[in-house]
Amino acid sequence: MIPVQLVTGFLGAGKTTYMNRLLEATDERLLVIVNELGSVNIDEQLIVKMDQEQIELSNGCICCSIQSDLSKTFYQLASKNTFDRIVIETTGVADPAPIIQTIYYDDYLRTRFKLTAILTVVDASQLDRELFIEGIHQIAYADVILLNKVDLVDADALEQAHERINALNPTVRVIETVQTVGDYDLTENTFQLSRVDEQLLGQLTAGHSSVSSLRAITLTTDVPLKRERVTQYVREVLMHYEDDVYRLKAIVRLDGETSKFVVQATNQLMGATFANEPSDDSRSVFVWIGKNLDRDALTRGLQACEVNA
């Protein structure tokens, strides 16, 4: 399967700087899909020309008016064997959800492409400007956030930026960067939970926070859960809320199992697997991120998964 990395971020946050660093640093054969709203693709002109393939999707947003173009592009790429990874750089106003759906709602594409990372670049000095609806979505869907331009803000503003991101996505890994330079791997596969993500989830306690209509709800329980009930619970929530659930990350303690059971969902797409190492925590932790979420209903659904329910 061909890995696909999605790079998002508001206008001026540093996406093109990141793309140039990626192209200069990697030994992989990358195919870069650059999306720009105007008829002249400025980002395409700014990206350093390397020995990489590049496709330009212009004069429309990749998540709406030219989404069909992206689908056609993937169909054309499925039979190629001239690259190791696809990197999509979106417009600053793109909603990641339809791009994810382009791959995972198509049976043919889903068997040939694998989403490996959703990386969002956030400007620490302009975070208030980025908290419009698409900017919120970009933060909510992210696996990794590069909190860029931290050299331009003082300690209080930097702490506030972390707090606001945490309110939108308490499970995301935030890496402070200057010119997108920081302590991370440019081609790291982050869509699956890493050990760092698991540790972060394990530190969360029950609660919720909100920014605008978006809510991040953390649920915990010390009672072992039934696997079939957990699967049914997650599927029912995804069906009930349809496009209103952006992300779910959960580490589950199952009845009769010693290993962690890791559950993830993006939009209405769910995946679950056992972690390699045994669980050293008796708790189960679920983090739901979305809008119009009913905490009480989510709690009742989780309680119905308990062994003694």
Side-chain angles (χ1 to χ4, degrees):
M1 297 176 70
I2 302 171
V4 179
Q5 179 181 3
L6 180 60
V7 179
T8 71
F10 190 56
L11 300 166
K15 294 192 304 298
T16 301
T17 302
Y18 169 85
M19 293 294 297
N20 282 329
R21 290 192 60 239
L22 174 62
L23 292 172
E24 291 169 350
T26 185
D27 293 327
E28 290 185 304
R29 299 172 300 167
L30 299 184
L31 187 144
V32 180
I33 299 176
V34 181
N35 179 213
E36 184 57 60
L37 282 173
S39 59
V40 177
N41 195 328
I42 299 299
D43 277 358
E44 190 272 340
Q45 297 177 41
L46 293 176
I47 290 178
V48 174
K49 299 300 182 184
M50 309 290 289
D51 293 328
Q52 311 285 3
E53 295 185 65
Q54 186 163 303
I55 294 174
E56 176 185 336
L57 297 178
S58 297
N59 207 23
C61 184
I62 203 171
C63 68
C64 46
S65 60
I66 62 169
Q67 187 181 2
S68 62
D69 290 351
L70 180 63
S71 180
K72 292 175 184 176
T73 298
F74 273 116
Y75 266 85
Q76 294 168 357
L77 296 175
S79 60
K80 280 195 171 186
N81 190 31
T82 58
F83 51 87
D84 301 313
R85 178 187 297 264
I86 296 173
V87 181
I88 304 174
E89 183 197 358
T90 73
T91 72
V93 295
D95 182 343
I99 304 170
I100 298 167
Q101 293 167 358
T102 297
I103 299 174
Y104 284 98
Y105 281 5
D106 187 299
D107 291 338
Y108 175 78
L109 296 180
R110 190 170 61 246
T111 62
R112 287 160 176 80
F113 299 94
K114 179 183 180 182
L115 185 63
T116 59
I118 303 175
L119 181 144
T120 299
V121 186
V122 173
D123 184 342
S125 67
Q126 298 287 336
L127 186 57
D128 287 342
R129 189 167 63 102
E130 298 180 11
L131 291 180
F132 63 110
I133 188 64
E134 288 83 3
I136 288 174
H137 288 181
Q138 290 170 0
I139 293 173
Y141 278 108
D143 301 301
V144 172
I145 285 178
L146 302 187
L147 185 56
N148 199 32
K149 305 183 184 181
V150 296
D151 55 323
L152 301 182
V153 298
D154 60 25
D156 290 341
L158 184 58
E159 181 180 359
Q160 185 180 48
H162 278 279
E163 290 174 352
R164 301 195 75 171
I165 291 171
N166 182 70
L168 288 164
N169 188 343
T171 68
V172 75
R173 184 149 36 119
V174 180
I175 300 167
E176 296 180 7
T177 63
V178 176
Q179 295 289 316
T180 74
V181 176
D183 185 15
Y184 66 98
D185 183 344
L186 284 163
T187 58
E188 184 178 1
N189 295 339
T190 57
F191 194 64
Q192 300 300 320
L193 290 188
S194 68
R195 181 63 178 165
V196 174
D197 299 319
E198 292 178 14
Q199 291 173 345
L200 177 59
L201 267 174
Q203 294 167 2
L204 296 176
T205 57
H208 74 271
S209 54
S210 64
V211 174
S212 185
S213 61
L214 189 87
R215 303 183 76 191
I217 297 177
T218 303
L219 305 176
T220 64
T221 178
D222 292 319
V223 180
L225 305 179
K226 288 288 189 180
R227 180 176 179 176
E228 63 275 11
R229 294 180 188 172
V230 170
T231 301
Q232 180 181 0
Y233 164 58
V234 173
R235 286 176 175 165
E236 288 179 351
V237 171
L238 296 178
M239 289 179 60
H240 176 75
Y241 284 104
E242 297 184 325
D243 294 334
D244 283 351
V245 172
Y246 300 161
R247 291 301 300 266
L248 163 69
K249 291 184 182 179
I251 295 180
V252 186
R253 179 194 173 198
L254 293 178
D255 182 43
E257 298 286 351
T258 58
S259 295
K260 302 172 183 176
F261 190 58
V262 178
V263 182
Q264 281 208 88
T266 301
N267 227 224
Q268 297 186 49
L269 309 168
M270 184 185 78
T273 185
F274 282 99
N276 293 325
E277 65 280 340
S279 174
D280 53 3
D281 193 337
S282 62
R283 294 189 313 153
S284 294
V285 182
F286 286 71
V287 180
W288 293 97
I289 302 174
K291 59 185 179 182
N292 305 316
L293 302 182
D294 185 331
R295 178 182 176 83
D296 291 338
L298 292 174
T299 301
R300 289 193 299 270
L302 179 57
Q303 290 171 343
C305 300
E306 296 176 354
V307 170
N308 300 322

